[in-house]
Each structure stands twice: as structure tokens, then as C-alpha cells.
């Protein structure tokens, strides 16, 4: 059975707030884990958060991204080196928090564009840097889950084909793939086929609607997603990712300025119920097919 989780972005970008009630609520609501954003390298902070999560009884995965200052595809070798070192520090923090997966689009600077396609050098720089980062992640028992984004947020990896090529080029057991339905909905001809392509490397799935609201309330064919996940025998974690008007700095980054849902708590409860319903429906359909 897949572990089901909730990304913390609807509450925080930093995990600096007092989230004790929220974490207890998520545990009581039936979530197995939370997906926490790690964007600073305060080791003591993340160790404390890891203990808090352990006390609540929630498993944890981590996510991060890189700014222009830490881009692995920068033409400046010192920036690329800084990016590798920064990601190693983030891995240290994720390990202290108890994470086994660090996911995200950290192969390039987030929302940093040149106005042209990625060059062969940019690809090579990112692959070489990520191979170094993956080797370090292995020493911390963390798997990197590389996430492709839509064309408005990056230009290095924007589809399943590119993601698979990237993972294969990095060629390290601790560099694997993540799949986010929001980005796939924008960039793929067929979400199911894209998921099948990524499946051999897949270690993390984010369920996110076309408008970043409650899973099941938008137009993405999530029943197809869960059908394919069952078809490829995916047993890894599945997290809900959504965004709302808060925190304000995240709303500005994601361009969400109207309410997407009644409350983060209601979104979490409804989203979890929807995922469980989808899983049950897919299992029942598979059983019926075997009987017939």
C-alpha cells in the first residue's frame, strides 16, 4: 500500500511557523507523511523539526529548489560549484529531519531563463553536478527524486522524455524520478503514457490539480493516473500538492491570487478521501477484470 502524504506549502514555505496543531491534525486525519520544504541550511532547526515529526508519528519527505545563485547550469563554474555544495547541505538537513527522499527541480535555477533552449553544455553541467550530489545523497541514505516542470518555470526538463534521459545520463542509483500531475497536464500529450515512461525510475508522485486546488475538483483525469500507477505496480509515496493565497510570498511565486479551496485543512481531508476512493476503485476494477 502506498504511503499518503501532504505537502506543507499550503501552510508554510519555511517551516518556521508553529505547526504543531497542523501536524497533529494531519496525523489524526490519516496521513502517513508530510512533504516539507527545505530552503535554508540551519542544521539545528531541521533536527528539531525531525524530532517534532517523529513525536507526532509522521514520516517525512523533503523538497527543495535552487535559485539563480545555485544553478547547476550556470555558465559560471563557481556558481555551479556553489549549487552542488548547497544541495549537499540541503541533503544534510533532510537527513536530520528524517527524510529518505529529496524531490524537486533542483537541476537548474528555478524560473531562470535565457530565452533559448538548453544547450549541450548546460545539460552536461547539470548532469555532472547532479551525479556528484547523488553520490553524496547515497552516503545519507537519501534518494533524489527529480521533478520536471512546465515551460513557464524551467527550460531544462519539461517533459517525461527529458526526465528519463536526464536520470539515465546521471546514471546513479540515488538519482531517480518524481512525477507531478500539474506539470504533466500542461506538457504531455497523454498523462498515462508519460507516467508509464517514467515508471522504471519513479520514486515519488505528487497529485496536483490543474488549478492547484483540491484533487478531484479540477479537470485532470486522475482516475487514469491511479489506474496507471496500479498497472506499473508503483508502491512509493504519493503526496497531495496544492497552493493557495497564503503564504503570500508563495502565492506570488505561483501566481495564485484567488481562493482555491475553503481551507488548507478541508483541502487535505477532501484530497485524502479522493485518493483513497481512487485507489479503492482501481483495485475493485482490477479484481473484477480477474474474475471475468
Amino acid at each position: 500500500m502506498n504511503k499518503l502524504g501532504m505537502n506543507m506549502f499550503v501552510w508554510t514555505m519555511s517551516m518556521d511557523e508553529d505547526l504543531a496543531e497542523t501536524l497533529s491534525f494531519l496525523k489524526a486525519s490519516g496521513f502517513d507523511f508530510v512533504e516539507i520544504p527545505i530552503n535554508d541550511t540551519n542544521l539545528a532547526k531541521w533536527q528539531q523539526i525531525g524530532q517534532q515529526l517523529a513525536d507526532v508519528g509522521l514520516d517525512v519527505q523533503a523538497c527543495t529548489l535552487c535559485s539563480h545563485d545555485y544553478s547547476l547550469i550556470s555558465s559560471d563554474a563557481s556558481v555551479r560549484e556553489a549549487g552542488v555544495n548547497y544541495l549537499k547541505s540541503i541533503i544534510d538537513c533532510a537527513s536530520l529531519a528524517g527524510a529518505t527522499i529529496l524531490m524537486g527541480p533542483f537541476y537548474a535555477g528555478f524560473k531562470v531563463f535565457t530565452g533559448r533552449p538548453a544547450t549541450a553544455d548546460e545539460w552536461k553541467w547539470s548532469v555532472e553536478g547532479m551525479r556528484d550530489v547523488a553520490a553524496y545523497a547515497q552516503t545519507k541514505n537519501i534518494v533524489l527524486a527529480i521533478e520536471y516542470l512546465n515551460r513557464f518555470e524551467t527550460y531544462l526538463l519539461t517533459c517525461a522524455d527529458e526526465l528519463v534521459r536526464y536520470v539515465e545520463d546521471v546514471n546513479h542509483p540515488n538519482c531517480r524520478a518524481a512525477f507531478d500531475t500539474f506539470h504533466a497536464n500542461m506538457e504531455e500529450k497523454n498523462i498515462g503514457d508519460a507516467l508509464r515512461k517514467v515508471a522504471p525510475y519513479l520514486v515519488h508522485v505528487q497529485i496536483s490539480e490543474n488549478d492547484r486546488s483540491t484533487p478531484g475538483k479540477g479537470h485532470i483525469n486522475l482516475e487514469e493516473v491511479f489506474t496507471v500507477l496500479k498497472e506499473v505496480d508503483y508502491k512509493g509515496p504519493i503526496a497531495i500538492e496544492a497552493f493557495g493565497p497564503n503564504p503570500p510570498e508563495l502565492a506570488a511565486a505561483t501566481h495564485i491570487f484567488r481562493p482555491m479551496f475553503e481551507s488548507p485543512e478541508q483541502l487535505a481531508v477532501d484530497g485524502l478521501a479522493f485518493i483513497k476512493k481512487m485507489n479503492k476503485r482501481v483495485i475493485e476494477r482490477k479484481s473484477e477484470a480477474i474474475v471475468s
Side-chain angles (χ1 to χ4, degrees):
M1 184 66 71
N2 304 98
K3 289 189 175 182
L4 305 180
M6 184 71 199
N7 185 289
M8 295 298 293
F9 275 142
V10 285
W11 291 281
T12 181
M13 277 189 71
S14 63
M15 297 293 293
D16 286 335
E17 301 86 348
D18 182 357
L19 296 165
E21 288 188 10
T22 298
L23 296 176
S24 295
F25 168 81
L26 292 172
K27 177 63 178 179
S29 298
F31 284 93
D32 301 305
F33 72 93
V34 290
E35 189 176 285
I36 61 172
I38 299 182
N39 299 309
D40 68 67
T41 55
N42 182 341
L43 296 177
K45 166 187 167 180
W46 296 109
Q47 186 171 28
Q48 182 178 6
I49 288 173
Q51 186 60 57
Q52 182 183 25
L53 290 165
D55 291 343
V56 173
L58 283 168
D59 289 342
V60 56
Q61 309 298 356
C63 59
T64 196
L65 49 76
C66 287
S67 69
H68 177 272
D69 294 334
Y70 299 118
S71 176
L72 296 187
I73 65 173
S74 172
S75 59
D76 186 334
S78 66
V79 172
R80 300 197 301 272
E81 182 180 5
V84 168
N85 291 333
Y86 174 74
L87 287 172
K88 289 179 179 179
S89 295
I90 294 293
I91 287 167
D92 289 338
C93 296
S95 177
L96 286 172
T100 56
I101 290 175
L102 175 65
M103 69 87 61
F106 40 83
Y107 41 81
F110 180 63
K111 287 192 175 181
V112 177
F113 294 94
T114 63
R116 52 175 170 69
T119 66
D121 278 341
E122 288 172 329
W123 184 274
K124 177 175 68 73
W125 291 331
S126 185
V127 165
E128 290 175 350
M130 194 62 67
R131 193 176 296 136
D132 188 358
V133 174
Y136 185 77
Q138 188 174 39
T139 69
K140 299 292 184 177
N141 297 314
I142 286 180
V143 175
L144 307 177
I146 306 300
E147 177 190 16
Y148 72 84
L149 303 181
N150 67 77
R151 69 191 70 184
F152 304 107
E153 296 180 2
T154 192
Y155 66 96
L156 191 74
L157 301 182
T158 59
C159 65
D161 286 341
E162 292 171 346
L163 175 59
V164 168
R165 178 189 161 211
Y166 186 86
V167 170
E168 291 178 348
D169 280 3
V170 173
N171 191 27
H172 192 285
N174 284 63
C175 180
R176 288 296 179 255
F179 192 86
D180 184 320
T181 57
F182 171 82
H183 300 294
N185 176 65
M186 295 177 67
E187 296 294 346
E188 304 294 351
K189 301 293 186 186
N190 181 282
I191 294 179
D193 288 344
L195 193 48
R196 291 182 185 95
K197 183 177 291 290
V198 172
Y201 305 105
L202 190 62
V203 296
H204 193 70
V205 171
Q206 287 183 325
I207 300 299
S208 188
E209 267 295 1
N210 62 285
D211 61 352
R212 294 296 203 180
S213 66
T214 309
K217 301 295 186 181
H219 71 228
I220 297 179
N221 186 352
L222 292 175
E223 185 167 351
E224 177 190 24
V225 169
F226 283 97
T227 299
V228 174
L229 289 175
K230 183 62 64 176
E231 172 193 318
V232 301
D233 197 28
Y234 174 70
K235 292 184 169 64
I238 299 173
I240 296 170
E241 183 183 55
F243 298 101
N246 289 300
E249 61 271 33
L250 185 56
T254 55
H255 308 290
I256 293 178
F257 303 111
R258 66 180 190 273
M260 294 286 102
F261 37 81
E262 180 181 328
S263 70
E265 291 75 19
Q266 192 63 51
L267 177 145
V269 170
D270 291 348
L272 184 62
F274 174 79
I275 289 175
K276 289 181 175 180
K277 181 178 73 173
M278 286 293 102
N279 275 331
K280 181 180 179 183
R281 184 178 299 176
V282 169
I283 291 170
E284 289 175 348
R285 186 183 299 123
K286 187 174 183 179
S287 299
E288 291 171 359
I290 293 173
V291 170
S292 63

